[in-house]
Amino acid sequence: MPVYSEFGGSYIARGFELAFQKGVRRYVLIPLSINILLFSFAIYATFHYTTQWVGQLMAWLPDYLAWLELLLWPLIVIGIVLIFALTFTSVANIIASPFNSLLAEKVEFKLTGSGPADGGVSGMIRDIPRIIGREFQKILYFIPRILGFGLLLIFVPVLGQLLWFLFGGWMMTIQYADYPFDNHKVPFRTMRAELWQRSGKSLSFGCIVALLASIPLVNLVMIPVAVCGATAMWVDHIRFATNGASNHSLT
């Protein structure tokens, strides 16, 4: 099968295409339903708190930096919206992770005609403890980095917002690209290394996911779409590079 694109962001469009194709769309329904429920609450919380929090943050700005207000206002809003998006996406992903793994498996089968040896619904049910454990492994990886980049976001104008946005993209890529890796028992450390070797693709994919996840209504479909797109990217660019990795234990 030909490679869809060298640009990681194009796999968002590929994800939309795959998510609603015959043989795949029924596996989208459960993660989509979970996403709609949680993000409906997230949308309410975002609109309710953003203006209040932005006003408080801007009040911290010293008088001699008042001229930065017009520049910082949209950047702070973007930062707060991304925080909401990442928080509620993490909760949704923990709940939906077994179904996301199954969805990634079905997308891989559609694209290649093969999948994990121990896949299917029965395999997904058997692997629920490992799948959820992998979600918490991601969270433990994210938390100290979120704190570090969060401090930059608050105390380093402009550069902090830029680094926070790029890190948000990196988190999105790890979150969704991990499903096909984990289906093949590829260790978490190996998965990160493979994605970092393709940092251009990884960041362009993840940053666009992060942006779309912050847009009301669009974010309702982003979890299954991102799983489909990330799996297609894995099939096109990474699958053969990780053939031997599944023989190692998770790290």
Side-chain angles (χ1 to χ4, degrees), residues 35-218:
N35 208 24
I36 289 173
L37 180 63
L38 288 176
F39 270 86
S40 295
F41 178 75
I43 290 169
Y44 165 78
T46 299
F47 280 103
H48 183 73
Y49 290 108
T50 295
T51 302
Q52 175 184 344
W53 288 359
V54 168
Q56 292 174 349
L57 288 170
M58 295 305 298
W60 292 355
L61 196 67
D63 291 340
Y64 66 88
L65 292 178
W67 60 274
L68 284 175
E69 182 172 347
L70 290 177
L71 177 62
L72 292 180
W73 181 276
L75 292 175
I76 292 174
V77 169
I78 290 172
I80 291 174
V81 169
L82 285 175
I83 289 171
F84 272 108
L86 293 170
T87 300
F88 284 94
T89 297
S90 296
V91 173
N93 281 326
I94 291 172
I95 297 171
S97 57
F99 307 103
N100 289 334
S101 294
L102 184 61
L103 174 59
E105 176 189 327
K106 298 306 177 183
V107 170
E108 181 185 348
F109 184 82
K110 185 171 186 65
L111 294 175
T112 68
S114 63
D118 56 350
V121 175
S122 61
M124 180 267 284
I125 294 172
R126 184 173 58 251
D127 284 344
I128 284 176
R130 193 201 80 244
I131 294 169
I132 293 179
R134 183 85 161 208
E135 292 300 313
F136 281 100
Q137 193 172 14
K138 295 176 200 174
I139 291 172
L140 291 176
Y141 171 79
F142 291 149
I143 285 175
R145 292 161 178 82
I146 288 173
L147 294 176
F149 282 99
L151 290 175
L152 291 175
L153 174 69
I154 295 172
F155 295 110
V156 183
V158 184
L159 178 61
Q161 281 81 15
L162 175 61
L163 292 175
W164 173 260
F165 175 69
L166 291 174
F167 177 64
W170 176 239
M171 286 196 295
M172 292 293 99
T173 301
I174 286 180
Q175 180 62 58
Y176 296 114
D178 185 50
Y179 291 112
F181 279 100
D182 188 42
N183 282 343
H184 289 271
K185 312 298 191 296
V186 176
F188 186 64
R189 189 188 302 257
T190 302
M191 178 271 297
R192 298 197 323 263
E194 290 292 339
L195 292 175
W196 188 249
Q197 287 179 17
R198 301 158 179 84
S199 56
K201 293 182 186 68
S202 298
L203 286 174
S204 62
F205 176 84
C207 287
I208 294 175
V209 170
L211 281 174
L212 292 176
S214 68
I215 300 174
L217 299 182
V218 176

